[in-house]
Amino acid sequence: MNDILDRLAATLEARKLGEPGSSYVASLYAKGLDAMLKKVAEEAAETIMAAKDGDAQKIVYETADLWFHTMILLASQGLGPQDVLNELARREGVSGHTEKAAREQP
């Protein structure tokens, strides 16, 4: 599973140097953070609507779009999928209530 994430992350990194007219991803980078955030929000809303419709294929499709745009956002911030996977590994076996309480402490 990490292979596809790693390949996608490498592609997204390469697109940072691309001309905005040469690729969709390069154009998002050129538009800046607000454009990327808008796309993540849009894809999150579409994922929610797909889930409400209960169409499994649509849920997968929209989730893929959400992950893709989230990975663009991560790359724009100098982060990648391994950073998220490391955080998930850190949380593994920790109660969600415990993890949330730890974040809320000053």
Side-chain angles (χ1 to χ4, degrees):
M1 178 170 73
N2 278 3
D3 288 348
I4 185 64
L5 294 177
D6 291 341
R7 287 193 309 271
L8 180 55
T11 298
L12 296 177
E13 275 300 313
R15 295 293 191 268
K16 284 181 178 180
L17 305 173
E19 286 293 320
S22 68
S23 83
Y24 170 74
V25 173
S27 72
L28 264 183
Y29 285 136
K31 290 176 186 174
L33 183 60
D34 285 347
M36 288 178 256
L37 295 173
K38 184 177 177 181
K39 280 305 293 182
V40 170
E42 176 186 315
E43 298 304 340
E46 289 175 2
T47 301
I48 291 166
M49 296 308 295
K52 288 184 78 69
D53 291 344
D55 181 337
Q57 185 176 7
K58 212 169 157 185
I59 294 167
V60 169
Y61 181 88
E62 295 301 344
T63 300
D65 281 352
L66 176 58
W67 285 17
F68 178 77
H69 287 88
T70 300
M71 286 184 66
I72 294 170
L73 174 64
L74 286 169
S76 78
Q77 301 299 303
L79 301 166
Q82 192 60 52
D83 296 297
V84 177
L85 294 172
N86 291 345
E87 177 61 15
L88 290 172
R90 184 190 70 77
R91 295 181 188 187
E92 185 176 16
V94 177
S95 159
H97 294 299
T98 302
E99 197 280 328
K100 185 175 179 186
R103 282 187 281 146
E104 293 174 351
Q105 293 178 3

